[in-house]
Amino acid sequence: MIEQELQKLIQAAIETRKQSYSPYSNFAVGAAVLSNDGYIYGGCNIENASYGLTNCAERTAIFNAVSDGKRNISAIAVVADTDRPCSPCGACRQVIGEFKIPCIIMANLKGEYKTVTLEELLPFSFSNTDL
């Protein structure tokens, strides 16, 4: 992924973060995915008073793409106001693995980011080959 595409995806995640519904944690997160045909889908975290029903930004972005018929996703960016680049939680890592997203960009609002592969993010992932 070239730097210009990477920055565009991070910026989309920053913009989507503004839509976060996080009244309980006050921890707003934004994510954006890039489908193989060039479309960008955003997602933000959406909390619930019953914390278990909260949906993370990464899953929201992926689900937005999938609900629009996109199954091939080439990259995902996740952004939060953190000291270091924000990494996906375990549940989001599993969903990222389900769609075999090869490029994961973890970023923060300071402009710092780290790019990792799916294998680096979730080694020994559970997949359809395990069924």
Side-chain angles (χ1 to χ4, degrees), residues 20-28 45-49 51 54:
S20 171
Y21 178 73
S22 48
Y24 306 106
S25 71
N26 293 310
F27 185 69
N45 58 323
I46 304 168
E47 294 183 348
N48 190 285
Y51 286 107
T54 294

Side-chain angles (χ1 to χ4, degrees), residues 16-39:
T16 304
R17 179 182 173 273
K18 295 174 184 175
Q19 303 304 319
S20 171
Y21 178 73
S22 48
Y24 306 106
S25 71
N26 293 310
F27 185 69
V29 182
V33 297
L34 176 65
S35 64
N36 284 357
D37 57 359
Y39 288 92

